[in-house]
Amino acid sequence: MSLPSSAHSLIVLAAEGGEHGGNHESLNPYLTGGGALLALLLLLWITTRLNRDR
């Protein structure tokens, strides 16, 4: 497959994706973001508790 035909396929695929939106109905962005923030804060807390050499 050549580069121009690959690029054309990707452009067609991206144009079709605009119709659907890409989000599942059961996914709440605030809940997903809050969960990710909570997980990162937990990892930060664990890292700072284990790094007591300073």
Side-chain angles (χ1 to χ4, degrees):
M1 190 181 280
S2 66
L3 185 62
S5 64
S6 297
H8 178 68
S9 298
L10 289 174
I11 290 171
V12 170
L13 182 64
E16 291 174 357
E19 300 169 355
H20 304 294
N23 292 333
H24 195 270
E25 293 174 358
S26 67
L27 290 178
N28 184 350
Y30 294 111
L31 183 62
T32 304
L37 178 63
L38 183 66
L40 288 172
L41 287 174
L42 179 65
L43 288 173
L44 179 64
W45 182 79
I46 291 171
T47 302
T48 55
R49 296 299 109 202
L50 294 176
N51 190 13
R52 294 189 180 261
D53 59 344
R54 295 185 185 204

